[in-house]
Amino acid sequence: QEQLVESGGGLVQAGGSLRLSCAAAGRTSNTYAMGWFRQAPGREREFAAGISWSGYRTYYTESVKGRFTISRDKGRNTMYLQMNNLKLEDTAVYYCAVRNIGVAYEDIIPDTWDYWGQGTQVTVSS
């Protein structure tokens, strides 16, 4: 059974850093794209970053470029999101997602992704 488990969220001051992790369990192959989405209160879920099945190609939404870094460890079936210089507007629930099409890491539409984690809260305070 497919399962994605996020961890690493928490409360941090503006300008600080957090590292999110997403462990994918129950998969027999790793030829899939992974991504991070986020949803702030009262707003729709939005794409933050994606990474190809190989891990060599990444894509970021404009608002996080230069501050967030997505990576993956294929051997561990785990994806990471290093978030630096956090801003108040980064406050949201962050969701890990898997797309079975390994090269579709740039797809920003949530409904096209196949599996989701339960989310982890990131709160940035002033």
Side-chain angles (χ1 to χ4, degrees), residues 3-6 22-23 45 93-98 115-120:
Q3 187 176 14
L4 300 175
V5 179
E6 301 102 333
C22 171
R45 191 170 299 189
V93 177
Y94 283 70
Y95 296 91
C96 167
V98 161
Y115 300 99
W116 293 88
Q118 293 301 307
T120 184

Side-chain angles (χ1 to χ4, degrees), residues 3 13 23 32 53 60 63 70 80 82 96 105 114 117 121:
Q3 187 176 14
Q13 285 192 322
Y32 50 89
W53 72 271
Y60 300 91
S63 61
I70 188 172
Y80 306 96
Q82 177 67 43
C96 167
Y105 60 97
D114 298 296
Q121 177 70 47

Side-chain angles (χ1 to χ4, degrees), residues 4 6 22 27 35 42 47 55 57 59 63-64 71 73 75 78-79 81 84 91-92 114:
L4 300 175
E6 301 102 333
C22 171
R27 296 193 70 93
F47 176 89
R57 297 185 178 184
Y59 182 70
S63 61
V64 308
S71 62
D73 183 334
T78 301
M79 173 179 66
L81 186 67
N84 297 328
T91 295
D114 298 296

